[in-house]
Amino acid sequence: MRILIVEDIEAKMKVIEECISGVREDWEFIEAMSYSDGLQKIYLGGWDLVLMDMSLPTYNISHTESGGTKKPVAGKELMARMLSRKIFIPVIIITQFDTFGDNQLSLESLNKEFEENYTKIWKGTISYDKPGWQEQLLKLLDEIGK
C-alpha cells in the first residue's frame, strides 16, 4: 500500500508512520510537508491512502522559505480539489486542533460537512492529541482495507 502523508510537523509525521508501520511492513510512505506539495503529489497519483493534517503552510518551510500563508483548512481544500478532479482516494484527517482559522471553525462542524459532501473520499478524522488516537487510526485503516 502506498500512503501519502501530508503533514508539516516532521516529528508528528514520524510518530504516525511508526504507528502504522508496526502493523504492516510492506506499506510505503511518501511525505508532503505543505498544501502545494501535497496537492502536487496527489495529482501525480498512485496512492492507496492519503493521511493529511487540516492546517498546513502553503509551501514547504525551509531555511530560505517561510512557508507562505498558513492555510487553516488546507485538508478540506485538498479534498475539494480531489473531488473536482474525480480523484477518489481514501482520506483520513489527522489534526491536533479543535478550531481553525480566524472564524474559529470547529472540527465538529467540519466533520459534519465532510459527512455531507466528502463521503466518496473522507473516511474519518483523528484528534492527534487525544488519548487513543493510534487505536482509532488503526481501526480506520482496517475498515479501509476491507
Side-chain angles (χ1 to χ4, degrees):
M1 179 180 282
R2 294 189 75 222
I3 301 172
L4 176 63
I5 303 178
V6 185
E7 169 60 56
D8 61 316
I9 301 172
E10 192 169 347
K12 180 179 164 189
M13 186 182 304
K14 295 302 177 196
V15 170
I16 292 168
E17 288 177 10
E18 288 172 12
C19 173
I20 298 170
S21 64
V23 177
R24 296 277 307 266
E25 293 180 14
D26 60 336
W27 288 353
E28 177 184 3
F29 302 103
I30 305 299
E31 302 171 350
M33 298 190 74
S34 66
Y35 172 84
S36 60
D37 190 20
L39 186 62
Q40 180 182 19
K41 287 178 178 165
I42 287 168
Y43 285 173
L44 287 175
W47 313 110
D48 299 302
L49 175 67
V50 178
L51 304 176
M52 69 174 73
D53 196 1
M54 182 61 72
S55 298
L56 295 163
T58 302
Y59 305 102
N60 287 359
I61 297 172
S62 69
H63 63 283
T64 58
E65 173 62 53
S66 67
T69 307
K70 187 81 167 179
K71 295 177 114 8
V73 289
K76 175 184 166 184
E77 293 177 31
L78 286 169
M79 287 194 299
R81 292 280 195 111
M82 290 171 69
L83 288 177
S84 73
R85 290 248 183 138
K86 297 185 179 2
I87 299 172
F88 302 118
I89 304 166
V91 173
I92 298 173
I93 300 290
I94 304 176
T95 184
Q96 58 195 61
F97 298 110
D98 293 325
T99 57
F100 303 89
D102 294 336
N103 297 334
Q104 295 295 296
L105 189 60
S106 74
L107 184 57
E108 183 179 329
S109 67
L110 283 170
N111 283 334
K112 286 180 183 174
E113 182 178 349
F114 299 157
E115 285 175 13
E116 293 172 9
N117 302 315
Y118 296 83
T119 56
K120 288 186 177 185
I121 58 174
W122 177 74
K123 302 304 175 190
T125 299
I126 305 291
S127 292
Y128 179 77
D129 61 341
K130 303 265 185 336
W133 72 267
Q134 297 98 329
E135 291 80 14
Q136 279 186 293
L137 177 57
L138 295 175
K139 182 179 177 190
L140 285 174
L141 290 172
D142 188 48
E143 290 171 8
I144 292 168
K146 292 181 179 176

